Amino acid sequence: MSIYDSLNEQQKQGVFTTEGPVLLLAGAGSGKTRVLTHRAAYLIEELGVNPYHILAITFTNKAAEEMRQRIDDMVGFGSESIWVSTFHSACVRILRRFIDRIGFGTNFTIYDTEDQKTVIKEICKRLQIDTKQHKERTFLNVISSEKNELHSPEAFLLRAQGDYAETLQAKVYQEYQSELRKNNALDFDDLIMKTVELFRSNPEVLDNYQERFRYIMVDEYQDTNTAQFELIRLLAGKYKNLCVVGDDDQSIYKFRGANIYNILNFEKEYPDAVTIRLEQNYRSTKRILEAANHVIANNVGRKGKTLWTENEEGEKILFRQLDTGFDEANFVAHDIAEKVKEGICRYKDCAVLYRTNAQSRLFEERLVTGNIPYKIVGGVNFYARKEIKDLLAYLKTIDNATDDLAVRRIINVPKRGIGATTLQRVQDFAIEQEISFYRALQMADEIHTLGRGGTKIKPFVNLIQVMRSKAAILSISELLQEIIQETGYVKDLEAENTDEALSRIENIDELITKTVSYEQSVENPTLSGFLEEVALVADIDSVEDEKDYVLLMTLHSAKGLEFPQVYLAGMEDGLFPSYMSICSDNATAELEEERRLAYVGITRARQRLAVTCARTRMIRGETQYNKVSRFVKEIPKELLSGQPDKEKKAELPIPDAYAKNNFYAKPMALKRVGVPEARNFGSTDTKEALAYQVGDAVSHVKFGNGVVLQIVEGGRDYEVTVDFEGAGVKKMFASFAKLKKL
């Protein structure tokens, strides 16, 4: 029996159609990874393609590792020559060989988000930018967007003429790129952008990789941005044997620069492309799949496809509308505990998905109270923790001393008494001499303004120089332990003797474990290679399949995962879809993106799906009254157990055992958020001042148009309840609301 006999007809077509451009429209759970791995096997075993000529690109390390393992299992000897990697990893490999062609050293450093923030902060300080008015985060977002569109600082500056805010952003972008070049560093967006720049400016380098990668497969194509699209277009330009796999209904990363039109317009870019639809779902029950199909059918900007399955009918989708967000968290925690107790599932079978990170708090509190193990995906990344960043900064400085950011981070770690004035004088000297910060430290004797401060610099420089010489003979793990020993980093933490210090020591132990693991898994381990690997780690890659805990995560983080039991929480208009999308100038497109996100959430579930929401929710200290999400109402009623249009209280039986376990302990009394007592509103008789009454149509500067439902007289002000068309029911004080009668 052939390995291809297990594929359905559409999957076989995707495997056997190898020449020219191919678009695989792969619905959720339709076995796209099977198609890609079988396709690689078919190219090698049946068509005799050298594995060296195959490139498979995906987005996460986890997906790349899974694909690599499956291909190795199927193909065996020779499969290691296939490039199976993420976009960023592939670009790093290319740039390590050829980036010197565009003016960088091949031992460049990769900056993470924290590093980027530090650089931006320094630039804002240097340019005397008021960061209260112009946020550092905004500059980073704008720079990332420009790079995703392959716009240089100069092109941005030219386009920004006449607009003060954009001109300022363009200048910061210029300074930022200049700083990165000086430090021989790249950020994540640069990895793609600089590879495109390399290919465009060096035809012989491009030709080398076009010859190498004669067959290219790209997973999750709907998530590609303009820069990634151009990278793939250039690589596939010679042979055009390009197979892209994706689902336009799962394009949910617009905020990261993803361009859905890359997949929607694929046939326009490649008129001779073959389009194959994978519509058989192997993951979910019929009811879950039918719900997903009904929701996504409301989107207009999509390629038509309808998922179907031979799986069982399955349970109805559990719908519950609770009174408050606290009650919602109680319900979910109780339901998980019940199902585990009854043996229906394990903790690790359950995932709680929500629209925003802030929603995790209540669920976390209730799971703790219920003694339910859990993990939040999207918390502090291991490599972003202080002790890990400190030690990695030492390794970066040893590997690439031109990285000013790394050097400045550790010059006083541990404390060496080198003051801010001394460091500023070194920095001034470096700028004046056009040299790196570390080189200026080496020349401290020539900086006459330093005085006695220069004597404190020498031990640090000597330490780095000694470590650089040892790096040539020690393994990475030995070098790391040498750094820890010489700096007394762990010794200082042991002296603290606190739980936090102990936790940090455990993290350092884990970093040592990581270096050993890297050395054992790579044929020729190098310090640069290790630093490159840890720089490319994504948070979602840290999810451990064997651990038994409930996962809490945003819907964006859940993409690519699946669970037997899924809880979609906070399904309320205003929360999901968000107010921003409902009230946006481009509301149609924004709501379609939100609906795709709902579709992703629904299709994460294999056997059971629960959808929950709350009538009232405390957000930023204010009580909000929200309608059931329009996405829930798009699910046919016969698929739900519980109806979204019923306003009666959701019935919630509370077994005694769980009541005793504090699942339903009442929340602490919350202080009513209202008007400060000392505030003077003028006349206490504000009723005459109101230009509207119950039933009137009014407008609000943020929430738009609505109808007044209730006016309640208070001591100094009126409490007005308004049902807004887009934002739902809001309760507010008249003097703050400044409602205008329409």
Side-chain angles (χ1 to χ4, degrees), residues 128-410:
Q128 297 182 320
I129 293 170
D130 182 359
T131 52
K132 289 181 181 176
Q133 188 175 354
H134 303 281
K135 302 293 183 187
E136 293 155 359
R137 181 76 253 174
T138 302
F139 287 123
L140 279 173
N141 289 340
V142 168
I143 290 169
S144 179
S145 294
E146 292 299 309
K147 289 184 178 182
N148 286 340
E149 294 299 321
L150 296 173
H151 295 157
S152 67
E154 294 71 30
F156 185 24
L157 189 60
L158 197 64
R159 196 179 76 243
Q161 284 183 357
D163 186 305
Y164 172 76
E166 286 195 357
T167 301
L168 186 64
Q169 290 163 358
K171 286 179 179 175
V172 170
Y173 182 13
Q174 271 188 321
E175 287 291 319
Y176 174 80
Q177 286 305 101
S178 174
E179 195 69 22
L180 260 61
R181 183 175 284 271
K182 184 165 71 73
N183 292 353
N184 194 32
L186 304 178
D187 63 24
F188 271 74
D189 296 316
D190 278 328
L191 296 176
I192 313 291
M193 189 177 183
K194 291 298 176 187
T195 307
V196 171
E197 181 185 329
L198 172 68
F199 285 163
R200 285 176 171 176
S201 58
N202 292 268
E204 72 283 3
V205 175
L206 174 60
D207 184 66
N208 173 61
Y209 283 103
Q210 286 178 335
E211 279 297 327
R212 169 151 196 183
F213 302 129
R214 299 184 185 185
Y215 291 88
I216 299 173
M217 297 181 285
V218 184
D219 195 10
E220 305 288 5
Y221 192 68
Q222 76 282 345
D223 294 334
T224 54
N225 58 35
T226 301
Q228 290 160 336
F229 166 82
E230 180 63 9
L231 175 73
I232 294 301
R233 191 191 68 80
L234 288 167
L235 282 172
K238 191 167 191 175
Y239 290 98
K240 292 188 169 53
N241 295 326
L242 171 63
C243 174
V244 302
V245 185
D247 182 4
D248 51 308
D249 290 334
Q250 295 187 72
S251 179
I252 60 172
Y253 293 121
K254 184 182 175 186
F255 70 99
R256 289 186 194 164
N259 185 351
I260 191 173
Y261 293 102
N262 288 348
I263 192 166
L264 292 180
N265 295 338
F266 186 80
E267 290 106 329
K268 289 183 181 177
E269 182 68 30
Y270 299 98
D272 56 339
V274 175
T275 300
I276 301 163
R277 285 172 167 78
L278 303 182
E279 296 176 304
Q280 183 174 358
N281 176 283
Y282 293 91
R283 177 189 300 161
S284 306
T285 64
K286 285 186 170 69
R287 281 189 168 121
I288 291 171
L289 211 55
E290 192 178 344
N293 283 334
H294 273 90
V295 170
I296 201 63
N298 290 278
N299 272 8
V300 176
R302 64 187 292 256
K303 290 177 176 288
K305 77 178 166 312
T306 302
L307 297 188
W308 60 277
T309 185
E310 292 179 346
N311 292 343
E312 62 182 4
E313 190 78 15
E315 299 175 16
K316 284 190 175 185
I317 295 163
L318 179 64
F319 173 77
R320 287 293 183 271
Q321 183 181 23
L322 291 309
D323 281 342
T324 68
F326 184 90
D327 294 332
E328 178 188 41
N330 262 341
F331 170 77
V332 170
H334 166 248
D335 198 63
I336 291 171
E338 278 279 78
K339 284 184 167 57
V340 171
K341 181 185 176 187
E342 292 170 13
I344 295 172
C345 64
R346 296 160 297 178
Y347 291 124
K348 70 177 183 178
D349 294 333
C350 304
V352 183
L353 311 181
Y354 35 77
R355 180 65 181 82
T356 65
N357 275 310
Q359 290 170 255
S360 69
R361 182 184 66 82
L362 286 173
F363 291 105
E364 201 174 352
E365 289 175 2
R366 303 322 297 155
L367 292 173
V368 168
T369 306
N371 199 28
I372 296 174
Y374 70 92
K375 176 175 179 176
I376 295 182
V377 175
V380 178
N381 185 299
F382 176 79
Y383 296 106
R385 291 167 182 163
K386 181 186 182 302
E387 60 278 9
I388 303 303
K389 284 189 72 70
D390 285 345
L391 292 172
L392 288 178
Y394 266 104
L395 292 175
K396 286 178 182 179
T397 300
I398 293 163
D399 185 56
N400 171 22
T402 58
D403 183 356
D404 289 0
L405 210 60
V407 178
R408 289 177 71 96
R409 181 180 182 94
I410 57 169

Side-chain angles (χ1 to χ4, degrees), residues 455-489:
T455 59
K456 296 176 181 177
I457 291 172
K458 284 184 179 177
F460 172 73
V461 172
N462 290 340
L463 173 66
I464 298 302
Q465 290 304 110
V466 168
M467 290 299 163
R468 295 187 88 178
S469 63
K470 287 186 176 182
I473 54 173
L474 296 178
S475 68
I476 303 160
S477 56
E478 290 169 340
L479 179 64
L480 177 58
Q481 291 181 74
E482 190 84 6
I483 292 166
I484 293 167
Q485 180 69 33
E486 290 299 319
T487 59
Y489 202 106

Side-chain angles (χ1 to χ4, degrees), residues 671-695:
K671 247 183 163 180
R672 185 169 177 270
V673 178
V675 184
E677 202 64 33
R679 176 121 183 172
N680 179 15
F681 288 93
S683 169
T684 56
D685 185 14
T686 52
K687 192 167 186 178
E688 292 180 5
L690 293 180
Y692 49 84
Q693 56 187 345
V694 173

Side-chain angles (χ1 to χ4, degrees), residues 508-544:
I508 292 169
D509 291 341
E510 184 61 28
L511 181 63
I512 295 170
T513 301
K514 170 62 184 175
T515 60
V516 174
S517 173
Y518 169 77
E519 289 163 352
Q520 292 174 348
S521 63
V522 177
E523 193 172 335
N524 295 305
T526 63
L527 180 54
S528 292
F530 172 73
L531 292 170
E532 171 189 309
E533 181 169 305
V534 300
L536 295 173
V537 170
D539 192 52
I540 191 66
D541 295 328
S542 68
V543 174
E544 300 168 80

